[in-house]
Amino acid sequence: MGSSAAPPLRPRHPVRTALIAAVLAGLIGGVWYWSDHPAQPSAAPGAEKKGRKGAGNSHPQPVSVAAARKTDIRVWLNALGTVTPVDLVTVHAKVDGTLLSVNFREGQMVRAGELLARIDPRPFQIQLDQASGQLQRDSALLDNARIDLARYRQLLAKDAIASQQVDTQDALVRQYQGTVETDRSQVDNARLQLEWTRVVAPSSGRIGLRQIDPGNQVHANDANGLASIARLQPTTVLFAVPEANLAAIHRGASAHDALHVEAWDREQKNHLADGQLLTTDNQIDTATGTLRIRAGFANRDNALFPNQFVNIRLLLGTLPQVLAVPAAAIQRGEQGSFVYRVNADGIVARVAVVPGAQDGDWVAIEGTIEAGDRVVIDGTDKLRDGARAEIIVPGSPARGRKPAIRSGQQS
């Protein structure tokens, strides 16, 4: 009986083993699948809304806005310029000698003709005395020769002497006249040399650092001279603009008496002076493709200093009543410039624009923006097209915090 019961059990054992193995494999596969693929929230009703909340889009983004408007936009041409004095003079000694004194303080304002230094005058006084003595001697000889000539002419009239003697005396008089004229020029030259021992300012302006101290020998051919004088009022600025702007400059100059020019510091934060265009160069620099321009400034407060680098803004004209937005609203991306517009429901839309001329904080634009549309000027970092925005009035808190509001911006 034992041998007859064993055979029926053998065929069922492989089936059971295979069934158990399949169940275990299914369990292991299910655990692996669900561990790598969690349940999607979209399977349940309302899961889409919950997903948006999880992404943070349900919270409005605090922003500051300003309204686009129609306004006049001035067209400026920016350039880098160098302050160039109207007069820049190096004061030289005109005679050689010992420098006795310096009669100016470095950096002071001087006037034309003001005494700046003195050179030892004694050698030149001696030369003047010698020239004056020679002039007196030759003048006496001339007077005596003229007396003799008058006497000889009287004798000639009486046929007492030959005419040749009168002619000789007349030539002698003319010779002495030439000698006296030479002596007078020597006297004038010696007097001028003596006058040049007083070094005076050739022009008005601010005097620089002195190049030589009293007691030293000075020469008329010294390269550095005694000091330099720069005229500060008025002054000019030289700058260069691309040749592409030549036509616009000529149009602006013909439409106005003189184009308005502004000078700003290096950071373009401080306005230094207002002036006007004086002239342009007569040719374009072929090496740089630029045109040199000179602008004049009254410089009454001495804000412009010689050789100072300044930022120049040349006013070419005005665009009347064009659509403009604050410069802070202009954003730039891979597809070009754009702004974020906020509608009445607080929904943000990205609108492509083409920026134009900028006048201060406002930029002329072209696009589908209209006057009165609200554009975002602060808080654009996390904005996206279609997002919801919370408009913050400057000075009011937003969700427990204050947004960064830029000064001068409108809400």
Side-chain angles (χ1 to χ4, degrees):
M1 292 180 63
S3 60
S4 62
L9 294 177
R10 288 178 187 153
R12 290 194 299 266
H13 181 70
V15 176
R16 187 188 308 163
T17 303
L19 181 61
I20 294 173
V23 171
L24 289 177
L27 290 175
I28 294 173
V31 171
W32 173 84
Y33 177 82
W34 290 109
S35 63
D36 266 7
H37 301 79
Q40 298 296 328
S42 58
E48 183 178 358
K49 295 182 179 179
K50 292 181 181 179
R52 290 201 187 106
K53 290 182 180 179
N57 290 335
S58 63
H59 300 292
Q61 173 68 26
V63 296
S64 296
V65 299
R69 66 185 185 185
K70 290 287 188 68
T71 185
D72 293 342
I73 294 292
R74 295 171 296 177
V75 180
W76 296 96
L77 178 60
N78 297 321
L80 181 64
T82 304
V83 179
T84 306
V86 175
D87 298 322
L88 181 59
V89 182
T90 301
V91 181
H92 286 275
K94 296 182 180 179
V95 293
D96 299 347
T98 303
L99 185 63
L100 294 182
S101 64
V102 174
N103 300 75
F104 65 87
R105 290 179 291 103
E106 296 174 321
Q108 81 174 77
M109 301 298 295
V110 298
R111 294 183 178 181
E114 184 176 342
L115 179 65
L116 300 180
R118 292 181 65 250
I119 299 173
D120 189 359
R122 291 174 297 179
F124 304 97
Q125 183 64 55
I126 292 173
Q127 294 177 9
L128 176 59
D129 294 341
Q130 290 176 347
S132 298
Q134 185 68 31
L135 174 61
Q136 291 178 2
R137 174 180 176 277
D138 292 338
S139 296
L141 293 175
L142 175 61
D143 292 341
N144 184 63
R146 284 173 174 170
I147 294 173
D148 289 344
L149 178 60
R151 186 181 300 113
Y152 289 164
R153 285 176 176 171
Q154 292 177 357
L155 294 175
L156 179 62
K158 298 178 182 180
D159 291 332
I161 59 174
S163 60
Q164 181 180 1
Q165 188 173 358
V166 176
D167 295 339
T168 302
Q169 187 63 29
D170 183 60
L172 182 61
V173 169
R174 291 197 302 271
Q175 178 181 346
Y176 283 148
Q177 286 176 339
T179 302
V180 169
E181 290 298 324
T182 301
D183 293 342
R184 283 175 180 167
S185 65
Q186 294 294 333
V187 170
D188 292 341
N189 181 66
R191 185 176 289 113
L192 182 61
Q193 299 290 317
L194 178 61
E195 183 179 345
W196 281 346
T197 61
R198 300 177 71 257
V199 181
V200 298
S203 64
S204 300
R206 177 170 177 160
I207 196 166
L209 304 178
R210 71 168 183 261
Q211 302 297 319
I212 192 169
D213 297 323
N216 287 285
Q217 285 291 117
V218 294
H219 305 278
N221 59 355
D222 287 341
N224 295 329
L226 302 179
S228 63
I229 299 176
R231 185 178 179 183
L232 302 182
Q233 300 175 349
T235 191
T236 66
V237 174
L238 283 177
F239 59 98
V241 299
E243 61 178 316
N245 298 295
L246 181 60
I249 293 174
H250 284 170
R251 285 195 303 268
S254 60
H256 305 82
D257 293 337
L259 294 180
H260 179 73
V261 182
E262 293 182 356
W264 293 71
D265 64 356
R266 287 199 175 195
E267 290 75 22
Q268 297 197 36
K269 295 181 179 179
N270 299 317
H271 175 256
L272 301 179
D274 291 312
Q276 60 185 13
L277 186 144
L278 295 180
T279 185
T280 62
D281 202 353
N282 60 355
Q283 58 185 343
I284 293 174
D285 187 350
T286 56
T288 60
T290 58
L291 176 68
R292 285 162 53 89
I293 298 178
R294 185 186 297 274
F297 297 84
N299 199 30
R300 294 185 179 89
D301 56 355
N302 293 331
L304 300 179
F305 205 75
N307 290 340
Q308 176 185 5
F309 288 101
V310 293
N311 283 291
I312 292 297
R313 300 178 66 196
L314 175 62
L315 180 60
L316 296 179
T318 302
L319 302 176
Q321 293 300 301
V322 295
L323 185 65
V325 296
I330 304 294
Q331 308 297 317
R332 290 169 176 81
E334 296 180 355
Q335 299 179 354
S337 300
F338 63 92
V339 297
Y340 284 117
R341 178 173 57 192
V342 182
N343 64 14
D345 297 329
I347 304 301
V348 176
R350 173 171 169 164
V351 182
V353 295
V354 179
Q358 179 171 350
D359 186 5
D361 294 332
W362 290 85
V363 180
I365 62 168
E366 294 180 1
T368 57
I369 297 293
E370 297 181 356
D373 286 351
R374 297 178 300 178
V375 294
V376 178
I377 59 175
D378 193 13
T380 60
D381 296 341
K382 299 180 180 180
L383 279 185
R384 297 294 181 270
D385 192 17
R388 183 176 297 276
E390 178 184 1
I391 298 175
I392 304 301
V393 178
S396 64
R399 299 186 182 275
R401 67 178 180 87
K402 287 186 177 181
I405 305 298
R406 300 182 183 180
S407 61
Q409 293 175 346
Q410 300 178 2
S411 62

